[in-house]
Amino acid sequence: MDKGTGVVTSVPSDSPDDFAMLNDLKTKKGLREKLNVEEEWVANFEPIAIIDVPGIGDMCAVSECQRLKVQSHKDVDKLKEAKTICYQKGFYEGIMKVGPCAGMKVEEAKPIMKKLLLDQNQAILYHEPESEVVSRSGDQCVVALKF
């Protein structure tokens, strides 16, 4: 919470965490108030199918959350299990349904879309450590990747 990384996408059709949070924001006024989210921002929003995952369908997160009976964005263990399934199967078996790579496997489409977005100046490369970096003396470090 002490740093920002830019634009973060939300994909409730394929991300169980995003789907669970969307449902909570739709149904829990107190959560919306706590996060300063207006009801009209989420009330009529529905996930859009972008990846078809064989054996699961084109709403992988929705299917897995229902199968595992996820009740809230706080169901951490169930969401972790759903996320593992959705992300692995989605990446290695999923087929893109929209965009210039429609019909391609996600695994093949990802580098193509990355290059397309970079070439069109719609994205930049961004790298950050997976966890806090601490020196041997115990000081918190600021890390930068320079080209």
Side-chain angles (χ1 to χ4, degrees):
M1 294 303 292
D2 60 352
K3 67 178 177 174
T5 59
V7 176
V8 178
T9 60
S10 175
V11 189
S13 61
D14 298 286
S15 169
D17 293 314
D18 292 351
F19 177 69
M21 180 57 87
L22 175 62
N23 282 340
D24 285 354
L25 288 170
K26 284 178 159 187
T27 60
K28 298 177 179 173
K29 182 180 179 183
L31 179 62
R32 286 194 307 272
E33 288 173 351
K34 178 181 176 184
L35 298 175
N36 295 314
V37 172
E38 300 293 329
E39 183 176 9
E40 59 266 17
W41 296 351
V42 294
N44 295 318
F45 185 83
E46 293 299 325
I48 298 169
I50 60 172
I51 300 171
D52 186 31
V53 180
I56 299 176
D58 62 8
M59 292 282 176
C60 190
V62 177
S63 298
E64 288 303 300
C65 284
Q66 289 171 347
R67 183 181 70 80
L68 294 169
K69 297 179 176 44
V70 172
Q71 298 295 311
S72 159
H73 73 280
K74 294 181 179 183
D75 286 345
V76 178
D77 292 334
K78 290 179 182 180
L79 286 168
K80 183 177 181 182
E81 181 180 346
K83 186 170 155 180
T84 298
I85 292 166
C86 289
Y87 285 15
Q88 277 190 329
K89 286 187 169 280
F91 183 73
Y92 293 109
E93 300 174 30
I95 305 294
M96 296 298 300
K97 293 186 70 163
V98 298
C101 293
M104 294 178 71
K105 290 183 80 172
V106 172
E107 183 177 18
E108 297 164 355
K110 185 176 179 177
I112 294 168
M113 287 305 303
K114 177 181 173 181
K115 182 177 181 339
L116 180 69
L117 291 170
L118 289 169
D119 289 349
Q120 294 177 352
N121 291 321
Q122 293 182 346
I124 60 169
L125 290 178
Y126 176 81
H127 304 276
E128 74 176 48
E130 289 186 19
S131 61
E132 182 179 45
V133 177
V134 179
S135 71
R136 291 184 197 141
S137 62
D139 294 322
Q140 182 180 10
C141 299
V142 176
V143 180
L145 175 64
K146 295 193 167 214
F147 293 97

